[in-house]
Amino acid sequence: MKRRIFLGWLSLLVCAGMARAQGGAAGELKFSELYQTGVTPSAKAKALAGQKIEMSGFMAPPLKVEANFFVLTGVPMAVCPFCDSQMDWPNNIALVKTPEQVEFISFNRRIKVSGVLDIGFSKDDETGFVSFIRLLDAAYEVA
């Protein structure tokens, strides 16, 4: 009987490892779970750094028409957060970088994004965009 239990657990572990190797996300991260305080990442965000995760939110209006990145926001934003100097900078955003050109989705449609979580201040050489939270090599779909 012990052999059957052992083999059952072993097969479960192998299947879980195969799902992760095939691109399954390590976990879901909500905007409310990003920061501990200020710009200090939460323990959960730190633990997921470097792993493929899923986040959901809204695509902010684009900075430019042809881009391989967009800003994921926690709430719908009808105005580009970078185009209106009167608007407060949102504290719940993540830069999403995709391998291909982004097809923009209406600002009020919830999307699900999966990508590799990268944390820390970074300035993109090509765009000059500064970010703290990024999802790299990301894919997205309407939720």
Side-chain angles (χ1 to χ4, degrees):
M1 187 66 160
K2 289 183 181 181
R3 182 172 179 228
R4 284 185 182 167
I5 293 172
F6 172 76
L7 291 175
W9 279 107
L10 182 62
S11 65
L12 198 69
L13 290 172
V14 168
C15 289
M18 288 173 59
R20 181 171 278 197
Q22 292 175 355
E28 184 177 348
L29 189 61
K30 298 176 183 172
F31 280 103
S32 61
E33 299 171 322
L34 285 178
Y35 299 103
Q36 179 176 311
T37 55
V39 291
T40 303
S42 69
K44 183 175 182 178
K46 288 179 187 176
L48 291 172
Q51 297 182 51
K52 188 171 186 177
I53 66 156
E54 290 182 350
M55 289 187 76
S56 51
F58 302 88
M59 187 180 288
L63 287 169
K64 61 182 189 174
V65 177
E66 294 180 8
N68 66 340
F69 68 92
F70 65 91
V71 176
L72 184 69
T73 64
V75 295
M77 300 185 77
V79 178
C80 164
F82 314 104
C83 300
D84 186 353
S85 60
Q86 300 295 319
M87 191 171 185
D88 290 332
W89 179 267
N91 63 359
N92 58 349
I93 64 171
L95 177 64
V96 177
K97 296 187 89 176
T98 62
E100 298 174 357
Q101 185 174 323
V102 173
E103 290 186 33
F104 291 98
I105 297 171
S106 179
F107 75 92
N108 60 352
R109 300 211 47 205
R110 182 169 288 280
I111 61 172
K112 183 182 282 190
V113 180
S114 62
V116 177
L117 179 63
D118 189 34
I119 298 175
F121 283 106
S122 177
K123 182 177 180 180
D124 185 81
D125 293 333
E126 183 182 330
T127 63
F129 189 77
V130 176
S131 61
F132 185 70
I133 301 284
R134 289 164 299 285
L135 292 175
L136 306 176
D137 196 27
Y140 60 96
E141 62 186 26
V142 174

